[in-house]
Amino acid sequence: MNGSSLDHDPKSPLLPLQDQTNQTSQSFTNNIKSIFTLQNFYILLGPLLSGLVCLTVKLDAPTSSRNMLAVLAWIFSWWMTEAVPMPITSMSPLFLFPIFGISTADDVAHAYMDDVIALVLGSFILALAVEHYNIHRRLALNITVLFSGDPLNPQILLLGICGTTAFVSMWMHNVAVTLMMMPVATGILQRFPTGSQSDVVTTKFCKAVVLGVIYSATIGGMSTLTGTGVNLILVGMWKSYFPEADPITFSKYILFGFPLALFVFLAMWVILCLWFVPKGSGRILSAYLDKSHLKRELDVLGPMAFAEKMILTLFSILIVLWMTRSITDDIPGWGSLFNGRAGDGTVSVMVATLLFIIPNKKQAGEKLMDWNKCKKLPWNIILLLGAGFALAEGVQSSGLANVLSKTLDFLEKVPYIAMAPAVCLICATLTEFITSNNATTTLVLPLLIEIAKTMHVHPLLLMLPGSIGAQLAFLLPTGTPSNVIGFTTGHIDLKDMIKTGIPLKFAGIVVLSIVMPTLGAYVFGTDNKQ
């Protein structure tokens, strides 16, 4: 009775009483902590720097040039601190340019879809098709069987794995290639003992393979326009700043990029062999890895199906079309049939479209690709490319380019032989410590163009060292996503990357400093000033 009456007492609380004062105080403290965070400070840093530039900077130029400098301060601070995701920062010119009076919404939006962006989209769709049908794995195993030797030669096997990675990276984005090739490499390394049962020789060889894959993907990407977003940013900015100049075509770039990448690749292989694959290691490694194991993995894949053959055919056709659009002045290539209206992006999208038309002959009505398979398209890279082109156009149209040029008169006396290695080293260092190589290239190329004008040299003499240097991120895991992928395997640590990366970075700078004024002058005509 008493219990029942207490339970129904209207004055008794339905829930246990809490100290409302402490609860309110704790809630207030939590709210304060959630507001005053480092992330929120980084978010505010962008508009604060922008406002500071508008209030304090006085330029002897139109107001639009000062506003463009304010926009650059906003965007660069967000890129470097990753206050908001990089793809979102990359879209900020779409609202900042109209607000600051730099250009109209339509004009800035055009930068986010041009022939270079079309080239990227088509190439990525084709790369996803290669990944979906395991073509990369078949190619890797075939070449590894070819290079393994009997008895096992670990130096040649390492060359085969790295060479496969570099070759595939010439045609696909280097991060995608690393994601594809790392499971292939670690699958081979699984044959070796791990932990306390592992010996020094096998441990070192595992390090060499993982380092070789991540570095080869980066080096292979230097060879062609499609290998990395950095090269596409270079081409886009060249087209934006110098629309009347001869464009950097796929075939023209590969004449320069492939020999450069080949020398750097050979330097990488020699360094890895010296550090991690001593003579006599083949006898120990052959106990765990032989040709029969690789052939068994290849047999599991079975014969090539129609879909795989068709994708390889389309890939080959695309490469041929890229190489032959513009050949020489005497042999103009197929592009002349369209009076220059067709670009590398034209054929890239055309071939990608065929993937959605040609049947795969696996199931009735199923095509080689469908849109669901394209959900992994790297829109972050595409948006970053668009932002780079928009910023390049903004720097030019706002008058900020002329302001920068006037402030760099002192560089006229700096000899180029010292300037190019310095530019390469600075960009390589920025990529290691501050941001991605795509963002680094976007930041520095407009400045290098103005420096080249001040020095009265061909802009590509600085633009190419800047863009190549931004790709020489070999020291730290944070340098590129490829480095992160290798670091997460557990086979390498920071000491291994620094030990290998320092001489490799130095070799890249030396090779570039030699190739740029020689082969670069022949391919791009850099003897002629712009």
Side-chain angles (χ1 to χ4, degrees):
M1 288 286 293
N2 291 340
S4 176
S5 64
L6 286 172
D7 290 343
H8 292 87
D9 185 356
K11 295 182 180 180
S12 63
L14 297 176
L15 295 173
L17 289 173
Q18 295 182 357
D19 189 341
Q20 295 294 326
T21 304
N22 289 341
Q23 188 177 19
T24 303
S25 175
Q26 194 173 30
S27 175
F28 178 76
T29 304
N30 290 337
N31 287 337
I32 292 294
K33 287 182 178 179
S34 65
I35 292 172
F36 293 99
T37 63
L38 189 61
Q39 185 73 9
N40 286 341
F41 170 74
Y42 288 152
I43 292 173
L44 287 173
L45 185 62
L48 285 175
L49 287 176
S50 180
L52 189 64
V53 170
C54 289
L55 291 174
T56 60
V57 174
K58 305 295 182 183
L59 299 177
D60 186 18
T63 306
S64 59
S65 61
R66 183 206 63 196
N67 290 350
M68 185 64 210
L69 189 62
V71 169
L72 290 175
W74 184 326
I75 294 175
F76 290 175
S77 68
W78 275 9
W79 264 342
M80 293 179 182
T81 61
E82 296 187 3
V84 295
M86 186 171 287
I88 303 302
T89 303
S90 299
M91 290 193 292
S92 58
L94 291 167
F95 69 86
L96 290 177
F97 278 31
I99 290 173
F100 281 82
I102 295 167
S103 61
T104 65
D106 283 340
D107 288 341
V108 68
H110 289 164
Y112 286 80
M113 182 52 70
D114 64 2
D115 186 61
V116 176
I117 303 293
L119 171 66
V120 175
L121 276 171
S123 300
F124 277 141
I125 291 173
L126 197 56
L128 288 175
V130 169
E131 180 183 4
H132 177 73
Y133 290 99
N134 264 333
I135 296 172
H136 63 288
R137 183 175 176 82
R138 185 184 297 277
L139 176 64
L141 286 171
N142 273 296
I143 294 182
T144 308
V145 166
L146 178 66
F147 279 90
S148 61
D150 194 12
L152 178 68
N153 187 328
Q155 289 89 354
I156 300 300
L157 175 58
L158 177 64
L159 180 64
I161 297 171
C162 295
T164 303
T165 306
F167 176 76
V168 177
S169 188
M170 291 173 63
W171 318 107
M172 300 166 63
H173 193 272
N174 48 26
V175 178
V177 172
T178 308
L179 285 168
M180 293 177 184
M181 291 298 299
M182 194 57 72
V184 176
T186 54
I188 295 172
L189 299 182
Q190 284 175 357
R191 299 281 295 177
F192 299 132
T194 57
S196 59
Q197 298 179 346
S198 178
D199 56 76
V200 175
V201 172
T202 56
T203 301
K204 283 189 172 183
F205 185 73
C206 291
K207 292 178 184 293
V209 169
V210 172
L211 288 169
V213 168
I214 61 177
Y215 292 158
S216 298
T218 299
I219 295 168
M222 298 177 189
S223 306
T224 64
L225 294 183
T226 54
T228 175
V230 170
N231 296 341
L232 295 167
I233 293 171
L234 168 73
V235 173
M237 288 198 178
W238 175 255
K239 178 182 174 183
S240 176
Y241 276 88
F242 308 102
E244 304 301 323
D246 292 336
I248 302 176
T249 62
F250 188 93
S251 56
K252 181 181 288 187
Y253 185 87
I254 199 173
L255 288 175
F256 169 80
F258 180 75
L260 168 73
L262 180 61
F263 285 122
V264 179
F265 175 83
L266 292 175
M268 176 208 70
W269 178 63
V270 170
I271 291 168
L272 289 175
C273 288
L274 288 175
W275 279 185
F276 301 106
V277 193
K279 289 183 179 179
S281 57
R283 179 179 53 82
I284 298 173
L285 296 174
S286 60
Y288 308 107
L289 183 66
D290 55 23
K291 245 181 190 178
S292 59
H293 167 68
L294 299 172
K295 287 181 177 178
R296 280 196 301 272
E297 283 197 30
L298 198 55
D299 291 338
V300 171
L301 293 176
M304 288 186 68
F306 169 82
E308 296 173 71
K309 293 177 181 177
M310 185 53 63
I311 289 171
L312 283 178
T313 301
L314 291 174
F315 217 140
S316 302
I317 291 171
L318 180 58
I319 293 171
V320 171
L321 289 173
W322 277 338
M323 296 291 292
T324 57
R325 181 174 72 88
S326 177
I327 304 174
T328 65
D329 293 335
D330 298 327
I331 309 173
W334 61 264
S336 62
L337 299 175
F338 301 93
N339 297 321
R341 291 189 296 271
D344 290 332
T346 307
V347 291
S348 183
V349 172
M350 182 187 74
V351 171
T353 302
L354 292 176
L355 294 172
F356 297 83
I357 297 174
I358 300 172
N360 64 7
K361 291 192 176 182
K362 286 188 174 183
Q363 295 183 9
E366 192 171 276
K367 311 301 181 185
L368 290 172
M369 285 289 284
D370 59 60
W371 187 246
N372 286 331
K373 297 185 182 77
C374 295
K375 289 180 179 178
K376 293 195 294 182
L377 276 173
W379 293 107
N380 57 332
I381 295 173
I382 294 168
L383 289 172
L384 182 60
L385 287 171
F389 302 157
L391 292 177
E393 179 63 29
V395 169
Q396 191 74 17
S397 62
S398 67
L400 183 59
N402 295 330
V403 175
L404 292 173
S405 180
K406 291 177 183 177
T407 60
L408 298 170
D409 292 340
F410 69 94
L411 291 171
E412 291 184 15
K413 299 178 181 178
V414 177
Y416 172 74
I417 194 170
M419 194 68 179
V423 167
C424 187
L425 181 61
I426 289 170
C427 291
T429 304
L430 283 173
T431 304
E432 298 281 7
F433 293 101
I434 296 178
T435 184
S436 71
N437 50 22
N438 289 331
T440 299
T441 309
T442 304
L443 298 180
V444 301
L445 282 190
L447 183 61
L448 293 177
I449 290 171
E450 300 310 318
I451 292 175
K453 289 179 180 178
T454 302
M455 295 178 66
H456 303 295
V457 298
H458 196 289
L460 286 177
L461 285 173
L462 295 185
M463 292 176 71
L464 280 165
S467 60
I468 297 295
Q471 300 175 63
L472 301 179
F474 302 134
L475 296 181
L476 300 175
T478 55
T480 68
S482 296
N483 292 0
V484 175
I485 295 167
F487 202 74
T488 55
T489 63
H491 287 289
I492 59 174
D493 52 32
L494 184 60
K495 181 178 66 176
D496 299 319
M497 293 193 70
I498 293 175
K499 177 182 177 181
T500 312
I502 288 176
L504 183 55
K505 189 187 288 282
F506 178 75
I509 294 172
V510 170
V511 169
L512 181 65
S513 301
I514 295 172
V515 170
M516 189 62 242
T518 52
L519 182 62
Y522 172 74
V523 173
F524 299 109
T526 51
D527 292 338
N528 304 317
K529 297 175 184 178
Q530 289 290 317

